[in-house]
Amino acid sequence: MNNYQEMFDFNKYQDVLFPFAYNILGSTDDAKDAIQDTLNNFISSSKNEIENPKAYLIKSVINTSINKKNRKKKFISNAITLPEPIATDTADNEINMKDIVSYSLLILLEELNVKERAVFILKEAFNYSHKDIAEVLSSTTENSRKLLSRAKLKLKDSNPSKKIFSDKKTNEYLESYISAIRNRDIRGLENLFTNDIAVVADGGDEIKVLKNFSTGKEECIELLIMAYEKFQSQQDIKFVEVNHQPAILYFNDGLLSACQIFSINAKQKINKISSVLDSKKLKNIAQLIS
C-alpha cells in the first residue's frame, strides 16, 4: 500500500457509494459487498495517486454492482421476489436517503437489463449527463442515450409512487386502512383501492405465503382480510416510511415478521401493496428499529 492509500479515509465513502450500489442491486448486503470489493480493489491496486478518488470509486462501485447483478440474474428462479426495503425515515442514518429510489420504481427497474437500469438510475436519480454516464460505463454518449430511450420505453406505462402525503396524513391514511381491515369494512377498502390493485408477497425460502400475487379489488380484499385475521390481528404494528413510501411493520412477540409497502397514485388510491416476509430482507430494518 502506498503512502497516499495509507492516508486515505475509506470509511467516509461507505455512505457515498451505498445509494449507487443499492439502486442497482436492490439488496443492502449485496450493495455492501460491492462497496467492500471496490474499496479492497482500490487499496490493493498499484495505481499512482488518483486525482479524483470519489469519482473513481463511484465509477468502480457502479461497474462492480452491474457485474454482481448480472451474475445474480443467472440464478434467480421464476418465483416472485421483491427488493429489500430500506427505512428512509431514520433520523440517525447517515446514508444520503434522498438518492435511494422509491420502492415502486425499484420493482419496475427489474424489467430492465442491468445496463439500462444503470443508465436510467444515473440519469434520473443522480442527474448525470450522457457524457458522464458514458465515462462511467466506458461507453459512448450515443449508446447512453439509446439505453435510456429503451429503458423509458419499457417503463412508459408505469407510474411509480411519489411521496404525496405529509407524515401526519400518511399515518391517518394507514390508520384508515388498518381500521377497514380490522372491521372487515369492504366498502371502506374499495374506496381506498384502485380497480386494478395488486398485492404481491415475498416469503423467501422460509415463509409460505397465502398467495404470491393477487389483483383486482375483490380478490385482494379477500386475501388481505384473511391474512390479517389469520396472522396479523394479534401482532403489533408500526407506521414507517420505506424507500420514500408509506409502510406498515408487523411484529410477532417483538420480532419483525412482515413489511407492507403501499404504492399510492396521484388520486390518493392504493394501486399496489408489496408484502415482504422474507426474514433476510427484513433484518436491516429490524436492526435499525431495535
Side-chain angles (χ1 to χ4, degrees):
M1 185 183 296
N2 59 40
N3 290 336
Y4 168 69
Q5 290 167 332
E6 288 176 351
M7 296 171 59
F8 192 79
D9 182 8
F10 291 98
N11 290 330
K12 73 177 183 178
Y13 283 102
Q14 296 277 349
D15 294 338
V16 172
L17 299 178
F18 182 83
F20 292 93
Y22 170 79
N23 286 344
I24 291 172
L25 291 161
S27 162
T28 297
D29 286 345
D30 288 348
K32 289 178 178 178
D33 287 345
I35 293 166
Q36 194 61 51
D37 289 347
T38 297
L39 295 177
N40 287 343
N41 288 338
F42 187 91
I43 292 170
S44 62
S45 70
S46 58
K47 296 180 184 294
N48 295 323
E49 183 172 332
I50 293 171
E51 184 176 342
N52 189 339
K54 179 180 176 181
Y56 177 86
L57 289 170
I58 287 174
K59 177 179 178 178
S60 297
V61 83
I62 289 169
N63 284 286
T64 299
S65 299
I66 287 172
N67 292 334
K68 265 187 184 300
K69 187 70 172 177
N70 271 328
R71 288 196 299 271
K72 194 168 184 178
K73 274 183 172 289
K74 294 178 181 178
F75 301 101
I76 292 177
S77 68
N78 292 326
I80 287 179
T81 60
L82 290 169
E84 178 185 345
I86 289 183
T88 47
D89 60 352
T90 309
D92 60 350
N93 198 318
E94 295 179 358
I95 293 171
N96 194 351
M97 287 300 177
K98 73 178 179 59
D99 292 328
I100 299 295
V101 302
S102 73
Y103 199 78
S104 295
L105 181 54
L106 206 59
I107 292 172
L108 293 173
L109 290 175
E110 290 297 320
E111 302 297 321
L112 308 180
N113 68 42
V114 182
K115 280 286 181 74
E116 290 167 349
R117 179 175 181 143
V119 170
F120 186 91
I121 288 167
L122 290 174
K123 187 67 177 172
E124 300 298 318
F126 297 99
N127 200 29
Y128 274 40
S129 68
H130 284 294
K131 180 181 178 182
D132 291 336
I133 294 172
E135 170 64 25
V136 168
L137 300 181
S138 300
S139 184
T140 64
T141 56
E142 181 184 2
N143 193 45
S144 174
R145 288 191 178 92
K146 285 180 180 178
L147 287 168
L148 181 65
S149 179
R150 288 211 304 260
K152 287 186 172 181
L153 189 63
K154 290 180 181 180
L155 301 177
K156 69 175 183 176
D157 295 326
S158 305
N159 184 25
S161 287
K162 296 181 179 178
K163 188 172 181 180
I164 59 175
F165 294 136
S166 64
D167 291 337
K168 181 178 178 181
K169 195 169 182 183
T170 294
N171 287 352
E172 291 174 357
Y173 195 87
L174 295 181
E175 285 281 9
S176 298
Y177 166 80
I178 285 293
S179 177
I181 290 284
R182 185 181 293 127
N183 296 310
R184 297 181 64 90
D185 181 2
I186 307 298
R187 182 63 61 84
L189 290 169
E190 287 177 342
N191 289 335
L192 289 173
F193 296 163
T194 60
N195 290 328
D196 60 350
I197 181 176
V199 175
V200 182
D202 177 3
D205 298 326
E206 301 173 357
I207 306 296
K208 184 174 176 59
V209 299
L210 292 175
K211 198 171 183 180
N212 293 108
F213 181 80
S214 302
T215 187
K217 286 185 180 181
E218 183 177 353
E219 185 178 337
C220 290
I221 289 172
E222 181 181 352
L223 174 67
L224 290 166
I225 289 177
M226 183 189 306
Y228 181 83
E229 293 180 344
K230 191 169 184 177
F231 302 109
Q232 299 164 346
S233 61
Q234 301 303 313
Q235 296 181 350
D236 296 320
I237 63 172
K238 181 177 182 179
F239 301 148
V240 295
E241 179 187 288
V242 165
N243 294 73
H244 310 294
Q245 293 178 212
I248 301 176
L249 302 181
Y250 294 86
F251 297 87
N252 189 13
D253 293 329
L255 298 176
L256 180 60
S257 61
C259 175
Q260 279 184 333
I261 305 106
F262 294 79
S263 299
I264 301 173
N265 68 15
K267 295 181 179 179
Q268 301 186 4
K269 298 283 188 180
I270 299 170
N271 54 25
K272 190 169 190 177
I273 300 176
S274 302
S275 295
V276 180
L277 298 93
D278 184 349
S279 59
K280 295 176 184 176
K281 294 179 180 178
L282 294 175
K283 67 178 183 179
N284 285 291
I285 290 182
Q287 289 170 358
L288 280 174
I289 62 176
S290 60

